[in-house]
Amino acid sequence: GAVVGLATDGSIEFPVGDPSALVYPLSSNKPMQAVAMLRAGLDLPSELLALVCASHDGTDEHLHVARRILASAGLTEDALANTPSMPLDGPTAQRVLRDGGGPTRLQMNCSGKHSGMLATCVHNGWAHDATYLSFDHPLQVAITETIDDLAGEPHAHVGIDGCGAPAHVMSLLGLARSFRAIASGAAGAAGDRVYAAMTEHPVLVGGAPRDVTILMQHVPGLMAKDGADGVYAAALPDGRAIAVKIADGGDRARPPVMVAALRRLGVDVSAVAPLLEQTLLGHGRPVGVVRAV
């Protein structure tokens, strides 16, 4: 894979691999998408905004917050056009199945983002049917402009994310710059609000057992967001930032690599030292580890 770490002044402190490599950040784009929504007039309390930035676990708490976002725009979950899914949280998913339920759009980990998108559309009088996911919809045009602005480069391509939303491609360096802009204040008032929402409500951004939540809870000031297929990005208010892409798309290497990269930037990661290694199980017993070297 590849890693890029930015110093406080935004220069490259260290590259591992090619920082110009083009990647799909996927859900790591959510903070930038949220900045775009705020710039377009979305106005939500901090805890609701945190879920707009989230790849949430689908617990009752997460679903309650998603419904609040929709209700703020006079909508229900029937307005969502994202892909139905089971909750990411294992015990919650098991309970849903025991109760005779199945995949729904509200349970899907991106429902907070989609709820925010719909609320933004209602605020602006834009169409809020399924066309809100079209690349040429005014909402998505605004998101594209913001992503290019924060990354400091034009997007290289736009695909379709697993949730149905446009998925922008950028360099790994562009991803790090985007997070730096939000955490450092360079993205303006909208970025400040996104940074505050994520760092104040880390459980809503992921879930209690998730490494992205644990990182934000135990590394003071850190804003972090995981993305599918081995992507991770993080930044601090002093301008230091990191973007990670694991080439095989696997997620088990992300936490050790992110923590090691933070340590290389001089960040105190002693409180999350267990994330430096991921234990591998064989028949329920430890048989190996994944570690950054």
Side-chain angles (χ1 to χ4, degrees), residues 194-220:
V194 166
Y195 171 79
M198 294 178 68
T199 55
E200 291 170 5
H201 305 281
V203 173
L204 291 177
V205 176
R210 296 264 296 281
D211 55 82
V212 67
T213 294
I214 293 168
L215 275 175
M216 287 194 284
Q217 287 174 327
H218 296 288
V219 179

Side-chain angles (χ1 to χ4, degrees), residues 78-90:
D78 292 337
L80 293 168
N82 57 300
T83 309
S85 178
M86 294 292 289
L88 294 180
D89 181 65

Side-chain angles (χ1 to χ4, degrees), residues 203-255:
V203 173
L204 291 177
V205 176
R210 296 264 296 281
D211 55 82
V212 67
T213 294
I214 293 168
L215 275 175
M216 287 194 284
Q217 287 174 327
H218 296 288
V219 179
L222 185 71
M223 180 189 94
K225 184 67 189 74
D226 47 354
D229 296 338
V231 176
Y232 221 156
L236 289 158
D238 64 10
R240 288 177 291 177
I242 292 167
V244 175
K245 166 63 178 176
I246 305 301
D248 70 358
D251 292 336
R252 69 186 185 184
R254 289 187 314 182

Side-chain angles (χ1 to χ4, degrees), residues 20 27 36 71 75 82 86 118 120 149 163 180 187 195 197 208 215 218 242-243 247:
S20 67
S27 284
L75 302 173
N82 57 300
M86 294 292 289
L118 286 165
T120 305
D149 172 48
C163 66
R180 180 181 185 274
Y195 171 79
L215 275 175
H218 296 288
I242 292 167

Side-chain angles (χ1 to χ4, degrees), residues 32 108 132 152 164 174 187 192 222 236 261 280 291:
M32 292 94 86
M108 198 263 181
Y132 77 88
D192 293 344
L222 185 71
L236 289 158
L280 305 182
R291 65 168 65 100

